[in-house]
Amino acid sequence: MPIIAAFGGMLIPAGLFLALNYGTATQNGAGIPMATDIAFAIGILSLLGNKVPVSLKVFLTALAVIDDLGAIIVIAIFYTSSIAFINLAIALGIWGLLFVLNRMKINNLIPYLIGGVAMWYFMLNSGVHATITGVILAFVIPFGDGGKKSSSYKLQHFLHKPVAFLILPLFAIANTCIAIELDWHEGLNHTNTFGIVLGLVIGKPLGILLFSFIGVNAGLCALPKKLKWKHILGAGMLGGIGFTMSIFITILAFKDPEIIVFSKIAILIASVLSGIFGFVYLKFILTRKKIL
């Protein structure tokens, strides 16, 4: 169900954005309202404490992860100006070799890490955004039974602190920088801004709820235990917190510094609204249930 919901959470916001911006200089920003910021979405959900059903936490986490994977794929496909096919073939060839090592049950991380660096280099020089490297590399790291002795677990445990305390903060600072000028409000009266805000605040919950409903009624998936449609709507609201990934896509989508700044401000406004709406709505339905 999170996979189907994530598709809706990407397609509907992008569709709303294009409805307002198709044929304009800003139509390339359709990918901006497609992303969900995992950290903020889960962080706000955690503020509600133990009143939140575990299945809702799992659903939103899975939804946000799939959503971000989708955003990375969109970056790789639609925000690539030209492709050097030889470099791309070499990168995919290295990935294929690592896949063979995985199937041969070679659990030593050294060849995977060396291969990952080489794959990143050739992917970077292929024209395809290098962020896709980390995603496809993760698929070939030996997972085993997922226990503490597995190569995947050891690597995740080793990377956790440097990623959480160094890499992510640097990524956020480098990509989030918003220069707010005196005329910042002028950018609010633009179809690009409307598209971003409408896509994140309205499109996200609408797409997630609609596609989930269609998926369940078509027999493709089932509503998680102890969850009702009102819970899915709340998760969809929190899914409208785009922030980091949306800002990252903004930088790739536009070259005009003014449009980039106005887009960042729109993302910030939409993310704050989505966070407030989602928190207040979920707090109301969860508290009301407890009282009744």
Side-chain angles (χ1 to χ4, degrees), residues 40-41 43-45 47-48 200-201 205 233-242 267-285:
F40 280 108
I44 291 179
L45 189 64
L47 293 176
L48 295 166
L200 287 172
V201 179
L233 176 59
M237 290 179 179
L238 293 182
I241 304 173
I267 293 166
L268 190 60
I269 292 172
S271 296
V272 170
L273 289 175
S274 293
I276 292 174
F277 291 159
F279 176 80
V280 172
Y281 172 78
L282 284 171
K283 186 176 179 62
F284 172 75
I285 65 171

Side-chain angles (χ1 to χ4, degrees), residues 142-181:
F143 183 76
D145 60 357
K148 293 183 178 181
K149 293 184 179 181
S150 69
S151 300
S152 180
Y153 181 89
K154 291 177 181 177
L155 182 60
Q156 179 187 349
H157 184 73
F158 175 79
L159 291 175
H160 178 69
K161 288 185 179 179
V163 168
F165 295 108
L166 179 62
I167 296 173
L168 275 178
L170 284 176
F171 173 82
I173 291 171
N175 290 291
T176 307
C177 179
I178 303 175
I180 302 178
E181 305 290 346

Side-chain angles (χ1 to χ4, degrees), residues 30-198:
I32 297 173
M34 294 174 69
T36 295
D37 191 291
I38 301 174
F40 280 108
I42 302 302
I44 291 179
L45 189 64
S46 68
L47 293 176
L48 295 166
N50 55 14
K51 292 181 292 186
V52 180
V54 175
S55 51
L56 183 60
K57 295 178 181 178
V58 174
F59 174 78
L60 182 59
T61 302
L63 168 69
V65 169
I66 296 164
D67 193 292
D68 272 7
L69 289 176
I72 291 171
I73 292 172
V74 166
I75 289 170
I77 297 174
F78 296 103
Y79 293 99
T80 298
S81 55
S82 61
I83 298 178
F85 288 100
I86 294 178
N87 285 324
L88 181 60
I90 294 173
L92 294 177
I94 294 172
W95 183 81
L97 177 62
L98 296 179
F99 179 78
V100 172
L101 294 180
N102 179 295
R103 303 309 297 172
M104 292 173 64
K105 300 189 182 301
I106 296 177
N107 295 318
N108 191 314
L109 281 170
I110 300 299
Y112 297 97
L113 297 179
I114 294 175
V117 172
M119 188 167 62
W120 174 87
Y121 173 80
F122 286 106
M123 189 70 75
L124 178 68
N125 287 281
S126 72
V128 176
H129 204 279
T131 41
I132 196 69
T133 306
V135 176
I136 62 175
L137 177 63
F139 280 99
V140 297
I141 300 293
F143 183 76
D145 60 357
K148 293 183 178 181
K149 293 184 179 181
S150 69
S151 300
S152 180
Y153 181 89
K154 291 177 181 177
L155 182 60
Q156 179 187 349
H157 184 73
F158 175 79
L159 291 175
H160 178 69
K161 288 185 179 179
V163 168
F165 295 108
L166 179 62
I167 296 173
L168 275 178
L170 284 176
F171 173 82
I173 291 171
N175 290 291
T176 307
C177 179
I178 303 175
I180 302 178
E181 305 290 346
L182 292 175
D183 62 343
W184 67 270
H185 57 279
E186 293 182 5
L188 299 179
N189 188 28
H190 193 278
T191 54
N192 177 55
T193 304
F194 290 148
I196 293 172
V197 175
L198 186 65

